[in-house]
Amino acid sequence: MSYAGGKHLSGDRLRDLETLLPETFVRIHRSYIVNLEQVAMVEKWKVSLGGMQLPIGEVYREGMASRIKGML
């Protein structure tokens, strides 16, 4: 499935969805999972993609940083 530039709403818990998504997806906040292939810019506390800026939760910042390094 591809939802480039859009949102996908689900009744499932994000915790459960994380396990089903490909490795290019990473949890950045308690409310957001993003596809790293769509990320345009990463700053300390936010991610830019598809014309939007989403916050990076403190709990998820380290995990996201390690995933980005692993993709380089």
Side-chain angles (χ1 to χ4, degrees):
M1 281 187 256
S2 175
Y3 296 99
K7 295 180 183 179
H8 179 70
L9 301 177
S10 172
D12 296 326
R13 289 182 280 174
L14 288 182
R15 176 180 345 143
D16 298 332
L17 290 175
E18 279 182 280
T19 62
L20 301 174
L21 293 169
E23 288 186 16
T24 59
F25 286 81
V26 64
R27 183 100 175 246
I28 64 164
H29 187 274
R30 66 184 177 135
S31 301
Y32 302 111
I33 295 175
V34 298
N35 184 346
L36 291 176
E37 294 177 348
Q38 300 298 316
V39 172
M41 184 173 62
V42 178
E43 295 181 31
K44 185 175 182 176
W45 294 101
K46 61 185 171 186
V47 169
S48 298
L49 72 153
M52 300 184 304
Q53 290 189 341
L54 301 173
I56 300 173
E58 187 173 346
V59 172
Y60 302 98
R61 195 171 353 133
E62 187 176 320
M64 182 180 172
S66 66
R67 292 282 297 280
I68 290 172
K69 287 178 187 175
M71 291 183 72
L72 298 177

